Amino acid sequence: MNSMTLTEVASALGADPSGYPEREITNVTLDSREVNDGSLFIAVKGDRFDAHDFVPDVLAKGAAAAVCEKRIEDAEQDRMIYVPDTRRALLALAKHYRAGFDIPVVGLTGSVGKTTTKEMVAAVLSQKYRTLATQGNFNNEIGLPKMCFKLDSSYEAAVFEMGMSGFGEISRLTDVARPTIGIITNIGVSHIEMLGSREGILKAKMEILEGMSPSAPLIINGDNDLLPKGVEGIANPVVVCGISCPHADCRAESIRQSQDSMSFVINYRGSRYPVELPAVGMHNVYNACIAFACGMLLNVSPEQAVKGLSEYVPTGMRQKIVRRGGITVIEDCYNASPDSIKASLRVLRDLDCKRRIAVLGDMKELGSYSRTAHLECGAAAAENGVDVLLAYGPEAKAYVEGAEGGIPTALHFDDKRELVMKLCSMLQEGDAVLFKASRAMKLEEAIESVYDVIAG
């Protein structure tokens, strides 16, 4: 980050700057283990700890100052900034810091596909600009400010992912990030437990506009059933991406899937550009269209945008395709929703293989919609030609019920080890196996156990 002064920080947080020396702040942290000379430590209370307990230690380690909600009596008071709420102070300081950068900032949200689209946008923009992109799951009211503080004068663009679980969260995040371009990937059912309906989810996602200038473009998926109507009447210019949408500004055509990639032509406002994307699934074609359109808005050349998409690398456990011992494995255990499970099942359907095996774990945060969602995904497994369905977790019983009569072998497991043993006993060369579940189910443990058996 670029350095700030302690008086600047105090002023940004509503404190009287005259009570502080002109001390230099070279990094902002919430982790006492990261403190060094020049650090500003913000004492945020967690579920299992109160960071105020660490303040004497961080000051002894050389922290320039600490931001606290309660008075620390033994501390040098010209190293203390007191605020009513340290979480709100973190957002306020990140907003102040972000305002010091006159660069393109892409703010991105949506029910599914946020992280993949963010990575594709970053791949495109990096062809022209030194680009900072959200790392890992730093997309909430703690993570997004941390990403803002990673900006420094060397960056020429930024891509910030914005997650949420309830109303008001996107509003607070966009107020910090101040996007010059907004993206909404889609409106699905993730977090419907907190928001009540898909219309509620749309309303929450549209909060992204609150931090944007009326002249800042908003990119949407025009094939989503709610988004086109949701943006009617807004002041911001709208750029529509899609495949079947008749009025799309950026449309994918001539789409073909191979074992490892998608090839298609992007029709951007009448001009056509062939793309080879090293990822599979129609949902990734939508993500690529959005990334391409974003590049066009920021003066990336079409050739650079195509090159960026060709260099995209899937991250983490997001639909990563691995081949071991003649078996194709789709690792997709980062998270799960009805929309993402159905998309992954379509990927499994389109693979060239002898048998299709789906290992599906519980989807979380669906509230009263949970049973219906699991039933629908079980039916989707049958519709997409799954030969074997292995379901794991208490909610996953409904997968089996939903698939009843449509899948030759559909079994439910409460024990992950039993599931692995059954799967390994039936695996044959030429099989394709999808692993998909919410992160809390830790289905990657099953993947590693299967790999151990295959390797052995």
Side-chain angles (χ1 to χ4, degrees), residues 327-329 348 351 353-358 430-434:
I327 296 167
T328 301
V329 177
L348 180 64
L351 287 178
C353 59
K354 291 182 178 178
R355 287 191 309 171
R356 293 168 177 83
I357 302 173
D431 286 344
V433 186
L434 165 67

Side-chain angles (χ1 to χ4, degrees), residues 173-191:
L173 295 177
T174 191
D175 184 53
V176 172
R178 294 287 164 174
T180 59
I181 293 178
I183 293 172
I184 303 178
T185 60
N186 49 54
I187 303 298
V189 297
S190 298
H191 307 299

Side-chain angles (χ1 to χ4, degrees), residues 104-323:
V105 172
V106 179
L108 185 150
T109 191
S111 293
V112 293
K114 293 187 296 295
T115 299
T116 299
T117 306
K118 175 257 300 180
E119 294 293 337
M120 289 188 187
V121 170
V124 168
L125 298 189
S126 294
Q127 297 296 315
K128 182 178 177 69
Y129 307 101
R130 184 167 188 263
T131 304
L132 174 69
T134 296
Q135 299 167 359
N137 60 350
F138 281 17
N139 63 2
N140 58 20
E141 292 180 54
I142 297 294
L144 186 138
K146 287 182 176 180
M147 291 308 307
C148 285
F149 293 127
K150 289 185 180 294
L151 279 171
D152 62 38
S153 54
S154 70
Y155 284 106
E156 300 168 309
V159 186
F160 291 141
E161 180 181 333
M162 301 180 189
M164 60 103 205
S165 57
F167 292 113
E169 290 181 61
I170 297 292
S171 177
R172 292 187 287 274
L173 295 177
T174 191
D175 184 53
V176 172
R178 294 287 164 174
T180 59
I181 293 178
I183 293 172
I184 303 178
T185 60
N186 49 54
I187 303 298
V189 297
S190 298
H191 307 299
I192 199 168
E193 180 179 12
M194 300 296 294
L195 297 166
S197 65
R198 291 183 68 229
E199 288 71 22
I201 294 168
L202 171 64
K203 181 180 178 181
K205 298 298 185 184
M206 291 295 291
E207 291 174 4
I208 194 172
L209 295 175
E210 296 175 19
M212 296 168 56
S213 160
S215 62
L218 178 68
I219 304 173
I220 67 165
N221 178 347
D223 288 348
N224 184 266
D225 60 332
L226 292 184
L227 273 172
K229 289 184 179 180
V231 300
E232 287 179 358
I234 70 171
N236 302 70
V238 177
V239 177
V240 179
C241 299
I243 295 173
S244 59
C245 177
H247 305 298
D249 299 285
C250 185
R251 179 185 295 108
E253 303 172 342
S254 305
I255 303 167
R256 306 175 82 176
Q257 177 169 321
S258 69
Q259 287 291 88
D260 302 297
S261 65
M262 303 293 294
S263 61
F264 52 97
V265 174
I266 284 183
N267 181 335
Y268 185 77
R269 295 176 174 171
S271 297
R272 290 172 168 79
Y273 308 96
V275 175
E276 189 74 21
L277 183 72
V280 294
M282 294 295 285
H283 57 292
N284 279 320
V285 176
Y286 283 109
N287 299 339
C289 281
I290 289 171
F292 187 94
C294 188
M296 296 304 95
L297 292 176
L298 291 178
N299 299 315
V300 176
S301 73
E303 294 75 20
Q304 287 174 315
V306 168
K307 183 173 184 289
L309 291 173
S310 72
E311 294 174 355
Y312 161 74
V313 178
T315 60
M317 294 177 289
R318 292 178 175 87
Q319 221 161 76
K320 179 180 177 183
I321 296 182
V322 177
R323 290 183 173 82

